Structures are given as structure tokens and as C-alpha cells.
Amino acid sequence: MTKPRILVTNDDGIDAPGLRWLARAVAGAGHDVVVAAPLTEASGSSAAMTAVEQDGKIVVQPRELPGTTNVTAYAVAASPAFIVLLALREAFGPPPAIVLSGINRGANAGAAVVHSGTVGATLTASHAGLHGLAVSLDVLTPAAATTISGGAAMDRGDDERRHWSTAADLAVQLLPTLVHTPPGTVLNLNVPDLHPDGIRGIRRAALARFGQVQMSIAEAGEGYIRTAVQAADEPLEEGTDLAALADAYAVVTPLRAPGEALDVRLQLEGVHFAVPAHL
């Protein structure tokens, strides 16, 4: 039986180590993989549809990913969600059936999923009826963060010391579960930055009501605003993704693309349109 084609993308950019580890693990498991990732970092882009054009053409550069074989890769001057849209229209060969996004530098947990380019790519796939898996490694260093990165930042010099292989292996193990969920399902996987021996297990958990970090206004003046990022000080809620991560568990949360809120009742009977007097 032919395995479904998988697009691997991210929001940290084509040169990020997490992308390389994820692509290598998925291809090593025998899957048909194509990599298309932003030319430069696109953290915090959510599901934005942005691209850089030259002479009316989106910039696409063929790349080789170190440590991978027989994996076609492209650096694209576009946001992760836009890259997914391009892939669905066969810009990088046959369209994928699954979109994997990551491995992100820093967790995408709680309310932060709204802003995440990593998650935004998979939600774009979900809207098209595809399965998606967003993968993040829990590395939090608010001192090195920006409001754009959402606090999920780290010293790039630490890159190769991180436990990317732990997250990549869990992502591969979750693929059979993912493909047996309803079409359009996204799994949001967050993994502690630990050797597998240090992880207590994997749990399903709800999204926390807040993210790992919070933004504040450090200074505001004539023509400018300066922001600051710090670790969130809200108490952890039992049963949420952030609480599970704090207890050294890998955590997975099923997501879907935004849709109509069927449980919301609206009273529209009294709403009417007045014709402007000058017409």
C-alpha cells in the first residue's frame, strides 16, 4: 500500500534544525516526503498569506537538507500557510495528503496556538480537509524572545544540543493515529526538551487559557512603542497542555480549522437597515 505524500514545513525557516530532524525521521520511516519551508524565519505568522515576489514571481530556491537523502526541499519566500496553499496546488509536485509542521523552537501551547505559524500551516491544511501535525520542542527563554516570536526563543548556539530527535520520533509514532482521525484533524504535539528516558509519557490535554509568555508595554513615546516579553505568572491548570509539559509529559491536543460556532444563538429580528437620507 502506497503511503500518503507528506509536506514538511515550519515557521523557523529552511535552515532550522528542527525541520531537518523532522524530515529525516519521516523519510526514514519510508514516507514520501517533500520539504517546503520559509526562506527566512516566519514565527508568529499564524495562518497569514504573505509572500515576497520578484517580477511578479514568488521566490523559490531548491535546497539540500544536511543528513537527508532522496528528499526534495525548497526554500520559499512565503509564510508557512501560503506554502501549504502552494503545495496543494502542486507547486512542489503531487499535492500532499498530510502536512507536518515543525519541529518548532519553543512550545506552541495554550492560547499561543492562535499566533503560531507552525500551527497556522496545519490549520490551513485542515481547512482543505487534510490531516496535519504541528510539532514543537519546549524550549522557553523569555529573555531572548521578542513579541513576534511569542517568547519561544533560544540562543541559536544551543541548537544542536537540543533533543530534536525525541520530538521527531514521537511525531513519526503519532502518524498512524493521525491518519485514523476524521479528515481535517490537526494534532498539536508539544514535547519536553529531554532525552526520551526523561519523559514520563504522552498525554492528551486541553489548551491552557494562556500561553507560556505574556507581553507588556515597556515604553511608549512619540511615534514608537517598545514591548517586553516575560514568562506568564498564571497558575497552571490541571489537565491542560502547559501543566502536562511542566510535569515532563509530551502532550497532544486535537485541533480543527476555525468554523461556524453552532452553539451561539443570535437575536437578529430587531436588526434593520436604514436608507441614508441623501439617497
Side-chain angles (χ1 to χ4, degrees), residues 39-77:
L39 184 62
T40 58
E41 184 168 347
S43 296
S45 59
S46 188
M49 293 290 169
T50 57
V52 176
E53 295 185 354
Q54 293 181 357
D55 300 323
K57 302 174 183 177
I58 298 173
V59 177
V60 178
Q61 300 176 355
R63 290 290 186 90
E64 291 186 8
L65 294 184
T68 62
T69 57
N70 300 320
V71 174
T72 303
Y74 302 95
V76 187

Side-chain angles (χ1 to χ4, degrees), residues 174-271:
L174 274 178
L175 283 175
T177 298
L178 175 65
V179 298
H180 285 94
T181 60
T185 299
V186 167
L187 298 183
N188 186 40
L189 173 66
N190 285 284
V191 182
D193 183 22
L194 298 171
H195 186 275
D197 292 344
I199 295 181
R200 299 173 64 185
I202 184 168
R203 287 182 172 179
R204 174 175 177 165
L207 296 175
R209 292 179 297 170
F210 51 90
Q212 283 187 310
V213 298
Q214 58 189 15
M215 182 189 74
S216 61
I217 303 298
E219 184 181 6
E222 186 67 29
Y224 76 93
I225 298 173
R226 185 169 62 84
T227 61
V229 174
Q230 62 189 42
D233 55 7
E234 289 87 349
L236 294 174
E237 302 169 283
E238 185 177 353
T240 64
D241 49 6
L242 288 178
L245 279 172
D247 286 338
Y249 284 94
V251 58
V252 61
T253 306
L255 304 175
R256 288 278 176 79
E260 181 185 1
L262 296 174
D263 60 331
V264 176
R265 301 184 63 181
L266 301 176
Q267 296 296 328
L268 301 177
E269 289 76 8
V271 178

Side-chain angles (χ1 to χ4, degrees), residues 2 41 56 75 77-78 93 109 111 115 119 130 132-133 141 169 202 207 248 263 272:
T2 303
E41 184 168 347
H115 313 291
V119 177
L130 276 64
L133 176 60
T141 53
D169 180 63
I202 184 168
L207 296 175
D263 60 331
H272 63 279

Side-chain angles (χ1 to χ4, degrees), residues 10-12 38 40-50 78-82 108 112-121 124 147-150:
N10 72 351
D11 71 359
D12 288 325
T40 58
E41 184 168 347
S43 296
S45 59
S46 188
M49 293 290 169
T50 57
S79 62
F82 200 172
N108 281 301
V113 299
V114 175
H115 313 291
S116 166
T118 303
V119 177
T124 301
T147 53
I148 294 176
S149 73

